[in-house]
Amino acid sequence: MKTITITSVPGYNEWRIASRECLAQSIPPENIIWQSSESIQDDLFGHTEVVMPAPIEQVKHSIPKSVLMLFKYALCHQDASRFALCYRVLWRVIFENKNLIQLKTDEDILQLNTLAKAVKRDAYKMSAFLRFREVALDGQEHFIAWYEPEHFSLEVKLDFFQTRFKNMRWSILTPYRAAHWDTEKLVLEDNPDPSVCPDEDRIEKYWLTYYTNIFNPARIKKSAMLSSMSKKYWKNMPETALIDDMIRNSDARARKMITDGNKR
């Protein structure tokens, strides 16, 4: 039995190197115990970490890009079994069926797609619910956001933020990692301090006024809103402090809209 510990987060690059070495030594999935910094697995023979020497010659395997992309998403999931699952699928793709991921009813593929889908959804919510606040840093305008993803989704969305806000200096902080962009280069920082994110900024009141004015009390659908924007995201979104009052007063506002409309 081989015990491999992935110490980085999400761990894709470490997993890829370890998997390449395991394949070169023809180690099947059932003979590997994968450990992570979030969850330690213990094998039947005790807790021992084995460092595998690099083989003298490694056989290059052709892996479809679609499979590698699926691994990248799945390995950003919080599930502690993700490393073992991805290696098992990798082994099967190489030695059993190169078209394995097309078998939608396969148990491993179902689980892999479930993990990848959850990460993609989590990454989308980051782009939708993240809110920047302005600070002065070294005499320059800088924008900071604190966000708590369900998975290790920050890396998935970095290209989006670099493209969308390429001319803006910003920092995105999450519980496990921060990304800092100065309009030219991106720097990653592990375990950032959330206290550097301000509670409010100078333009927030304008955003809240705008949000209040675009709220349509006649078209409110609370259940639909909560299904797409769960309350767990609310604490880091300034406009959500207004929602309860707007919902509470929605009937009165809707009746006023009707009355005002009939007067015209």
Side-chain angles (χ1 to χ4, degrees), residues 53-94:
I56 298 176
E57 182 178 355
Q58 295 187 4
V59 177
K60 291 186 177 180
H61 299 283
S62 178
I63 312 299
K65 289 184 178 180
S66 55
V67 175
L68 295 176
M69 186 57 65
L70 202 57
F71 288 159
K72 282 189 175 183
Y73 281 114
L75 288 170
C76 287
H77 201 281
Q78 287 273 15
D79 194 321
S81 68
R82 64 190 186 277
F83 300 114
L85 171 65
C86 287
Y87 184 75
R88 186 164 64 248
V89 171
L90 178 63
W91 178 275
R92 294 181 62 196
V93 167
I94 293 173

Side-chain angles (χ1 to χ4, degrees), residues 141-163:
E141 199 177 59
H142 196 92
F143 294 86
I144 300 180
W146 170 260
Y147 188 82
E148 300 175 29
E150 290 186 13
H151 306 292
F152 304 115
S153 304
L154 174 63
E155 288 77 3
V156 176
K157 271 298 174 179
L158 286 180
D159 285 344
F160 167 83
F161 287 107
Q162 284 180 264
T163 302

Side-chain angles (χ1 to χ4, degrees), residues 98-248:
K98 66 179 181 179
N99 297 316
L100 180 66
I101 65 167
Q102 298 177 14
L103 303 180
K104 303 302 182 183
T105 58
D106 182 272
E107 185 175 342
D108 284 341
I109 302 305
L110 282 170
Q111 186 179 356
L112 191 65
N113 279 314
T114 297
L115 298 189
K117 184 178 179 180
V119 169
K120 290 178 182 179
R121 179 175 174 80
D122 193 42
Y124 165 75
K125 289 185 179 295
M126 178 178 291
S127 62
F129 301 146
L130 182 143
R131 298 290 183 266
F132 285 109
R133 283 172 169 151
E134 183 184 355
V135 298
L137 185 63
D138 296 329
Q140 293 183 311
E141 199 177 59
H142 196 92
F143 294 86
I144 300 180
W146 170 260
Y147 188 82
E148 300 175 29
E150 290 186 13
H151 306 292
F152 304 115
S153 304
L154 174 63
E155 288 77 3
V156 176
K157 271 298 174 179
L158 286 180
D159 285 344
F160 167 83
F161 287 107
Q162 284 180 264
T163 302
R164 184 74 176 270
F165 305 107
K166 63 180 179 180
N167 297 319
M168 187 175 87
R169 293 174 176 81
W170 51 259
S171 297
I172 299 174
L173 283 62
T174 73
Y176 75 97
R177 182 162 296 147
H180 307 286
W181 173 251
D182 65 359
T183 73
E184 292 183 358
K185 65 179 180 179
L186 185 73
V187 176
L188 299 180
E189 171 197 6
D190 287 343
N191 304 314
D193 179 6
S195 67
V196 302
C197 188
D199 293 329
E200 58 183 16
D201 67 4
R202 64 182 179 86
I203 63 173
E204 196 162 286
K205 63 180 180 180
Y206 300 110
W207 161 239
L208 296 179
T209 300
Y210 169 76
Y211 186 80
T212 302
N213 288 333
I214 65 171
F215 178 77
N216 187 342
R219 301 183 63 182
I220 185 170
K221 294 181 179 179
K222 186 176 180 180
S223 59
M225 179 188 68
L226 289 174
S227 67
S228 61
M229 187 175 69
S230 172
K231 281 199 171 185
K232 65 186 175 185
Y233 299 106
W234 287 25
K235 62 181 178 180
N236 296 316
M237 298 172 64
E239 68 270 27
T240 54
L242 306 174
I243 291 179
D244 285 337
D245 282 341
M246 291 192 297
I247 291 175
R248 191 179 303 112

Side-chain angles (χ1 to χ4, degrees), residues 39-54:
S39 178
I40 301 299
Q41 302 178 42
D42 293 321
D43 61 38
L44 296 176
F45 305 99
H47 175 64
T48 56
E49 181 177 348
V50 178
V51 179
M52 296 178 298

